[in-house]
């Protein structure tokens, strides 16, 4: 009987020899006075899936960049297969059998799949040899791993799940026996995530060692064999996945007990505060990015917008917040009609009672070189928080920001600290504090917990539910399906710039929502009375 051999070179189904694929000993890295990594020890068994988790700013990314040669360690050593190695560049890492799939894909959108995979291994000036070899390799990967891709498809036209497959193929083509995946499911539907996990299981069976960097504890429990936990630049624990649970992992990450289930009582929606009718928009190139969007949002409810990133959610937020003009259709907010003949800018929207937590806190939520106290009044600096006179009242601004820092648990935050010196999670808390404290009547929320650790997620979710309970109408847009399902009283789903369905909280099913997000199924709107009757808990 002939044994089947996988494309990475080991017999399919064969067990790798016992031992360690990777060892890190006393790895430290500083950036000026900041210790990003402190005496990190890590041992990863060959042929396993090893998770690495930690709160935002814990040092995970720095450690992976050291492993992949993108940065050099100050002290410590690295061993691969028991042999000490000196990795000074990504080329060194690839030569030692280490591959990495970055959170933001490193593909050329205008190239075909085949061209992207063969890039750097063209095989001669005429390219024919390289093309033939790459086409053969893609066929082998499709058969052995189920990573089916069209070699001639333009990468920019592919769904994100398929683009991720191309990245994995590129890494394995380079001979990777250790594969680093950085937040690989952040932009995937549930079906795409499960497809990825199926691929990882086959890779593991072929002896590939996988390092999975993620903040999603359910994924750690579902796919890893062992997990290492980082906090504030240090490694604080290692666990066999079968012997731990999400609660323990969350506590190790944050250093305290974390409430993974936030109480979510049934909504009591009242009057309509936002009504969207036939909204449409085009890109600068003239392509439709929004088409015929219609929905209503009432006081005292959270309406979630689910969808894979890049399906029109950003454009919808920009229009509703006044950052982008209306193309087609109109919307009415708090009695004010907005269309292409009656535009309103963000300041005007804020004046009528609409708050906005933007999805990109660095570009639209904060001025990083401003102090926390200055960021705490951005957009509201002409109001009472800055004083009633012609000149700003610095003492009042300071006291206002100091109260927000305390009330919203901004860690290591002082009113006079520059925003750029806060961690991502604490930067997000400053933005949320500013908008929530203003008590808006309508709040547009974009990706509220992106890049935020599990402890801050708990706090942010509590703030949004409390705001809803005080009568605010909240529009929540997030690519985190679990977050949408946990917080929303109703859910609408977007695909390719259109609404494809609506689901009540009590009827939300992850698989069905995933199919809708991928454009595979539509569902009618939920009757108002039915939506209002649903309730439950929020799961962080």
């Amino acid at each position: 009987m002939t044994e089947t051999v996988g494309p990475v070179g080991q017999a399919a189904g064969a067990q790798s020899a016992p031992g360690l694929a990777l060892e890190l000993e006393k790895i430290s890295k500083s950036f000026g006075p900041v210790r990003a990594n402190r005496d990190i020890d890590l041992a990863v068994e060959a042929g396993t899936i090893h998770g690495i988790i930690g709160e935002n700013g814990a040092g995970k990314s720095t450690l992976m960049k050291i492993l992949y040669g993108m940065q050099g360690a100050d002290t410590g050593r690295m061993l691969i297969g028991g042999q000490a190695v000196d990795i000074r560049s990504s080329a060194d890492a690839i030569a030692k059998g280490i591959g990495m799939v970055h959170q933001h894909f490193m593909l050329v959108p205008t190239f075909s799949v085949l061209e992207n995979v063969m890039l750097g291994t063209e095989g001669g000036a005429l390219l024919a040899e390289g093309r033939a070899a790459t086409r053969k390799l893609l066929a082998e990967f499709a058969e052995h791993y189920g990573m089916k891709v069209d070699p001639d498809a333009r990468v920019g036209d592919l769904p994100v799940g398929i683009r991720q497959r191309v990245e994995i193929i590129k890494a394995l083509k380079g001979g990777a026996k250790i594969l680093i995946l950085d937040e690989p499911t952040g932009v995937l539907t549930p079906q795409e995530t499960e497809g990825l996990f199926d691929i990882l299981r086959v890779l593991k069976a072929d002896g590939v060692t996988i390092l999975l960097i993620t903040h999603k504890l359910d994924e750690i429990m579902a796919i890893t064999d062992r997990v290492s936990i980082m906090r504030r630049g240090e490694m604080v624990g290692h666990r066999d996945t079968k012997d731990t649970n999400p609660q323990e992992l969350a506590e190790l990450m944050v250093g305290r007990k974390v409430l993974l289930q936030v109480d979510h009582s049934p909504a009591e929606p009242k009057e309509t505060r936002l009504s969207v009718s036939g909204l449409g928009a085009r890109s600068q190139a003239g392509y439709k990015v929004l088409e015929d969007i219609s929905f209503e949002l009432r006081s005292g409810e959270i309406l979630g917008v689910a969808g894979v990133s890049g399906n029109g959610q950003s454009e919808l937020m920009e229009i509703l917040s006044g950052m982008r003009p209306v193309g087609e259709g109109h919307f009415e907010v708090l009695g004010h009609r907005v269309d292409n003949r009656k535009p309103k800018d963000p300041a005007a929207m804020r004046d009528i009672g609409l708050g906005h937590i933007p999805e990109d806190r660095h570009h639209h939520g904060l001025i990083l070189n401003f102090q926390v106290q200055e960021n705490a009044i951005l957009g509201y600096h002409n109001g009472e928080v800055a004083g009633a006179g012609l000149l700003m009242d610095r003492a009042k601004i300071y006291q206002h920001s100091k109260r927000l820092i305390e009330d919203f648990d901004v860690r290591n935050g002082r009113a006079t600290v520059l925003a750029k010196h806060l961690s991502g999670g604490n930067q997000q808390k400053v933005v949320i504090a500013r908008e929530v404290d203003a008590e808006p009547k309508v709040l547009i929320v974009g990706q509220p917990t992106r890049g935020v650790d599990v402890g801050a997620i708990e706090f942010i979710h509590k703030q949004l539910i409390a705001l809803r309970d005080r009568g605010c109408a909240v529009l929540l847009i997030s690519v985190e399906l679990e977050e949408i399902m946990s917080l929303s009283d109703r859910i609408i789903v977007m695909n390719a710039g259109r609404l494809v369905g609506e689901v009540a909280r009590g009827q939300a099913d992850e698989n069905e929502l995933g199919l809708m997000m991928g454009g595979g199924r539509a569902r009618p709107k939920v009757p108002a009375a039915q939506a209002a009757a649903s309730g439950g808990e929020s799961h962080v």
Side-chain angles (χ1 to χ4, degrees):
M1 180 176 175
T2 303
E3 197 171 28
T4 302
V5 177
V8 294
Q10 179 167 332
Q15 296 298 312
S16 61
L20 298 177
L22 170 69
E23 297 169 81
L24 302 180
E25 298 180 350
K26 304 300 180 185
I27 296 290
S28 293
K29 178 68 177 179
S30 295
F31 299 95
V34 178
R35 294 288 297 273
N37 289 153
R38 186 194 300 269
D39 294 330
I40 298 291
D41 290 324
L42 177 65
V44 180
E45 292 185 12
T48 63
I49 301 178
H50 194 112
I52 298 181
I53 60 174
E55 57 187 333
N56 191 52
K60 306 184 301 294
S61 295
T62 299
L63 189 63
M64 291 304 102
K65 287 177 180 177
I66 291 171
L67 176 56
Y68 195 55
M70 298 172 70
Q71 292 176 347
D74 297 334
T75 62
R77 70 172 188 158
M78 185 187 311
L79 296 90
I80 295 178
Q83 299 295 316
V85 295
D86 185 16
I87 296 179
R88 297 178 179 271
S89 67
S90 297
D92 289 344
I94 293 168
K96 298 296 183 183
I98 301 173
M100 185 168 181
V101 177
H102 299 267
Q103 184 174 2
H104 302 290
F105 301 150
M106 313 291 280
L107 300 171
V108 182
T110 55
F111 281 14
S112 70
V113 168
L114 188 144
E115 290 166 340
N116 269 280
V117 173
M118 70 181 288
L119 203 59
T121 57
E122 290 82 359
L126 297 180
L127 304 182
E129 182 179 342
R131 284 182 177 276
T134 303
R135 195 174 292 275
K136 180 183 178 184
L137 182 76
L138 289 171
E140 291 175 350
F141 272 82
E143 179 179 356
H144 186 71
Y145 295 118
M147 288 195 278
K148 297 180 180 179
V149 292
D150 179 359
D152 302 310
R154 180 178 174 274
V155 162
D157 297 331
L158 296 175
V160 289
I162 302 300
R163 275 182 266 168
Q164 187 179 68
R165 290 184 187 181
V166 178
E167 285 277 24
I168 295 173
I169 291 170
K170 280 185 63 179
L172 295 176
K173 177 176 179 281
K177 296 295 291 181
I178 298 173
L179 182 63
I180 305 168
L181 298 173
D182 185 10
E183 297 286 355
T185 65
V187 293
L188 302 185
T189 66
Q191 287 79 10
E192 288 172 328
T193 296
E194 190 52 47
L196 171 65
F197 286 177
D198 288 342
I199 290 168
L200 298 186
R201 292 182 184 106
V202 179
L203 287 169
K204 170 186 166 182
D206 275 359
V208 177
T209 303
I210 298 164
L211 284 174
L212 178 66
I213 319 302
T214 182
H215 68 280
K216 298 180 180 180
L217 299 181
D218 58 332
E219 293 179 1
I220 288 290
M221 300 304 298
I223 193 65
T224 65
D225 301 295
R226 189 164 170 78
V227 56
S228 297
I229 307 97
M230 296 184 68
R231 185 171 74 239
R232 296 182 181 178
E234 298 183 342
M235 195 67 75
V236 297
H238 308 277
R239 296 288 187 275
D240 288 335
T241 308
K242 62 182 176 59
D243 296 329
T244 188
N245 57 67
Q247 184 67 58
E248 182 187 27
L249 295 177
E251 291 177 19
L252 285 168
M253 286 170 61
V254 180
R256 63 175 175 83
K257 286 189 176 296
V258 178
L259 185 64
L260 293 179
Q261 294 184 342
V262 179
D263 288 339
H264 188 296
S265 57
E268 297 181 3
K270 296 178 182 176
E271 78 278 5
T272 297
R273 291 188 174 176
L274 173 65
S275 178
V276 178
S277 180
L279 207 61
R282 293 180 180 271
S283 68
Q284 290 184 343
Y287 298 110
K288 284 188 176 181
V289 291
L290 285 181
E291 186 174 3
D292 195 25
I293 302 292
S294 300
F295 63 86
E296 290 187 346
L297 172 65
R298 294 164 294 170
S299 65
E301 72 168 347
I302 298 177
L303 175 61
V305 182
V308 176
S309 180
N311 277 270
Q313 305 98 307
S314 296
E315 291 81 4
L316 177 62
M317 271 188 291
E318 290 172 357
I319 289 174
L320 295 180
S321 63
M323 293 171 60
R324 181 188 184 113
V326 174
E328 302 165 359
H330 70 278
F331 65 95
E332 293 186 11
V333 55
L334 299 167
H336 298 263
R337 180 184 171 107
V338 182
D339 56 30
N340 55 16
R341 293 174 298 175
K342 297 179 180 179
K344 286 189 180 295
D345 62 19
M349 300 298 285
R350 196 175 293 112
D351 288 344
I352 65 175
L354 184 141
H356 178 212
I357 298 173
E359 60 180 343
D360 187 337
R361 56 179 171 263
H362 285 174
H363 289 93
H364 300 131
L366 299 166
I367 299 177
L368 294 177
N369 285 320
F370 276 21
Q371 296 176 353
V372 169
Q373 62 179 346
E374 294 165 333
N375 277 287
I377 63 167
L378 280 181
Y380 301 95
H381 48 276
N382 291 323
E384 293 183 2
V385 294
L390 292 176
L391 300 178
M392 291 187 178
D393 186 335
R394 302 295 295 185
K396 186 171 185 177
I397 293 170
Y398 178 85
Q399 291 300 324
H400 172 75
S401 62
K402 186 178 178 182
R403 177 179 62 80
L404 294 187
I405 288 168
E406 294 173 356
D407 290 352
F408 287 81
D409 192 30
V410 180
R411 303 286 179 88
N412 301 319
R414 300 188 306 278
T416 55
V417 168
L418 298 183
K420 68 180 180 182
H421 291 149
L422 297 180
S423 71
N426 286 305
Q427 290 174 351
Q428 186 73 347
K429 284 183 179 179
V430 172
V431 177
I432 289 172
R434 180 183 69 216
E435 300 301 325
V436 170
D437 186 71
E439 291 292 338
K441 295 179 180 179
V442 175
L443 180 64
I444 311 295
V445 186
Q447 318 300 345
T449 58
R450 174 179 283 170
V452 170
D453 64 77
V454 67
I457 290 174
E458 170 200 6
F459 181 86
I460 291 169
H461 284 185
K462 283 183 176 180
Q463 294 298 320
L464 293 178
I465 292 172
L467 191 65
R468 179 208 72 168
D469 291 344
R470 295 197 296 272
C472 183
V474 180
L475 184 70
L476 169 66
I477 297 177
S478 174
V479 296
E480 300 287 355
L481 185 53
E482 184 178 1
E483 180 167 66
I484 289 287
M485 294 177 65
S486 298
L487 293 179
S488 305
D489 301 300
R490 289 185 295 130
I491 300 169
I492 56 179
V493 183
M494 291 187 67
N495 174 264
R498 298 180 63 92
L499 292 184
V500 296
E502 181 175 331
V503 184
R505 174 181 174 80
Q507 297 180 345
D509 175 82
E510 185 176 270
N511 288 329
E512 182 177 12
L513 288 173
L515 287 171
M516 293 165 66
M517 288 162 61
R521 181 178 300 181
R523 185 163 177 165
K525 290 185 67 175
V526 178
Q530 181 178 331
S534 56
E537 293 179 318
S538 169
H539 299 271
V540 176

